[in-house]
Amino acid sequence: MNRQTQASQPGSAKGIARILILPGDGIGPEVAEQGVRVLEAAAKGAGIELEFEEGLLGGASIDAKGSPITDELIDRARAARAVFLGAVGGPKWDALPFAQRPERGLLRIRKELGLFANLRPATVFRALIGASTLRPEVVEGIDLLVVRELTGGLYFGEPRGDALVDGVRESRNTMVYNELEIARIARVAFDAALLRGKEVTHVHKANVLEVSQLWVTVVEEVAKDYPDVTLHHQLVDSMAMLLLREPRNYDVIVTGNLFGDILSDEAAMITGSLGMLPSASLGEGGVGLYEPVHGSAPDIAGEDAANPLAAILSAAMLLEHSLGAPEPAAKIRAAVEAVLNDGHRTVDLAGEFGLAAVGCAAMGDLVLQKLEQS
Ligand code: IPM
Ligand code: MG
């Protein structure tokens, strides 16, 4: 899924890969700008030619077009090699009816592009071990990959919505997965595990939910094709606890949409800051979407105070998964590590170390400098 030949890829003309940038809302535009600078420099250094175009998603699209996403944007995304996203949402649009909120734009683009596999790696940079709220000896060596199913489950199940039943207000969402959806995300997790620690932990709630029982059955069927990978099953409530107690024990975690949303924020936070976590959303269509796991942080938007490293690390994932270029991706990660080792921190991390904070753009500059030296 992730290393296709250039010829079979959408969004490429004469070997030039087209990247659609969706800066979005809040700190989205600031962090996306730094991510794109680093992406462009790393690609250039590897002889990869990129072409960038911009589009509107979320609140930015509501303000300009009256809707959080347009059909035209979806067509442009389908025709691109990859989509690079900042963040969506903010208090300005909180009062809108549910179907018109910024988040609907994000959910629709994931669904329309068939991006069922969301990869959220949570690793600890040595220099940031002290930034976690957990003790250093618990945190050191965390290297997790959360593989979250992204286009099914409670987020998309039908029936859904509000109803008036005998004059009483009611609302429902439906958790539904079929075996094909479960098997394909399980394969992504097992394939990833083969290249890592060869362990998969499937997270579920099978003591209560039939849906989870089907997950257990199907994940075990898929596991038969991966004799070299060890499979564990873990209830989601105890997983939330175990991630705090012994996060180093886990390699690949595979789970459904809602559990994955919750556990990936927890995994991010134990590594130090939500501002560090990148993500890739992949599917069958060949277009990947890359975004920081953090939100739009409207409280600090426009202040040049955001941490752009999650966006920059998302650019590395784009190079790896959509452009088949692991070398420049590794260079970006090494540049980020070097900048942190030099003691530079954005404000979300600086307090922990008593260091003066650098701004969002300055952090981008520092990473670019390291990249150019490499
Ligand atoms: C995430 C976010 C989104 C989600 C929101 C913004 C819709 O929390 O990417 O984790 O729930 O998927
Ligand atoms: Mg989330």
Side-chain angles (χ1 to χ4, degrees):
M1 181 170 70
N2 43 13
R3 294 219 172 80
Q4 289 138 322
T5 55
Q6 295 227 340
S8 68
Q9 288 278 5
S12 75
K14 299 188 217 98
I16 304 175
R18 189 144 31 86
I19 311 294
L20 176 62
I21 307 163
L22 303 176
D25 312 319
I27 59 170
E30 300 164 53
V31 298
E33 186 184 339
Q34 301 314 315
V36 169
R37 287 173 76 202
V38 172
L39 173 60
E40 193 166 23
K44 202 175 201 173
I48 300 167
E49 224 180 314
L50 300 179
E51 194 177 274
F52 294 97
E53 58 174 285
E54 267 198 34
L56 298 172
L57 184 76
S61 178
I62 294 172
D63 289 351
K65 316 230 167 181
S67 145
I69 189 166
T70 59
D71 294 343
E72 184 246 335
L73 185 88
I74 291 165
D75 290 341
R76 283 169 67 199
R78 281 209 181 94
R81 176 73 70 84
V83 179
F84 190 73
L85 181 77
V88 298
K92 182 175 176 194
W93 307 281
D94 274 352
L96 286 171
F98 188 72
Q100 290 160 38
R101 292 175 57 105
E103 291 80 5
R104 303 308 306 170
L106 178 58
L107 295 174
R108 189 166 162 218
I109 197 170
R110 288 171 176 171
K111 187 74 172 175
E112 297 264 3
L113 295 180
L115 304 173
F116 67 87
N118 184 217
L119 311 184
R120 298 186 160 184
T123 49
V124 187
F125 288 92
R126 282 201 67 82
L128 294 185
I129 284 176
S132 175
T133 51
L134 299 185
R135 289 197 307 272
E137 66 270 26
V138 177
V139 172
E140 190 171 7
I142 294 177
D143 185 5
L144 286 170
L145 175 66
V146 179
V147 177
R148 168 188 176 193
E149 201 291 328
L150 202 60
T151 53
L154 262 179
Y155 275 54
F156 293 97
E158 300 280 349
R160 66 182 299 159
D162 300 333
L164 202 58
V165 179
D166 297 333
V168 177
R169 285 173 298 160
E170 202 175 271
S171 196
R172 62 178 58 71
N173 291 97
T174 304
M175 186 185 277
V176 52
Y177 274 112
N178 69 40
E179 59 178 312
L180 304 176
E181 293 172 300
I182 300 167
R184 68 181 180 180
I185 192 71
R187 286 190 190 285
V188 171
F190 282 101
D191 285 337
L194 280 177
L195 303 173
R196 301 170 40 97
K198 300 194 171 52
E199 289 206 20
V200 168
T201 304
H202 162 236
V203 175
H204 62 89
K205 188 70 184 171
N207 53 349
V208 176
L209 304 176
E210 287 88 344
V211 179
S212 285
Q213 287 172 11
L214 183 64
W215 271 76
V216 170
T217 304
V218 174
V219 170
E220 277 179 6
E221 287 163 8
V222 171
K224 295 200 178 97
D225 294 338
Y226 297 85
D228 295 338
V229 178
T230 308
L231 171 65
H232 312 272
H233 298 281
Q234 195 67 61
L235 286 163
V236 63
D237 47 353
S238 65
M239 189 73 226
M241 176 197 71
L242 290 166
L243 268 181
L244 295 179
R245 197 171 77 186
E246 46 194 34
R248 272 181 308 195
N249 285 1
Y250 298 92
D251 177 25
V252 176
I253 292 175
V254 65
T255 190
N257 206 341
L258 182 68
F259 298 161
D261 178 45
I262 297 166
L263 290 180
S264 57
D265 269 27
E266 187 185 356
M269 208 54 215
I270 59 181
T271 68
S273 168
L274 198 49
M276 296 297 300
L277 231 79
S279 82
S281 301
L282 309 171
E284 289 152 343
V287 187
L289 183 148
Y290 302 84
E291 57 176 322
V293 170
H294 63 67
S296 59
D299 51 324
I300 57 164
E303 292 176 11
D304 191 37
N307 183 348
L309 293 179
I312 288 170
L313 293 167
S314 297
M317 292 189 88
L318 189 158
L319 280 159
E320 196 172 344
H321 294 281
S322 281
L323 298 169
E327 294 86 6
K331 282 190 179 171
I332 291 178
R333 291 192 192 102
V336 168
E337 175 127 53
V339 168
L340 293 170
N341 287 345
D342 284 353
H344 302 292
R345 304 280 185 271
T346 41
V347 71
D348 53 318
L349 296 166
E352 308 293 335
F353 301 90
L355 299 164
V358 300
C360 180
M363 185 54 107
D365 291 344
L366 288 163
V367 175
L368 274 176
Q369 278 163 27
K370 289 286 180 196
L371 199 62
E372 272 149 25
Q373 286 160 21
S374 69

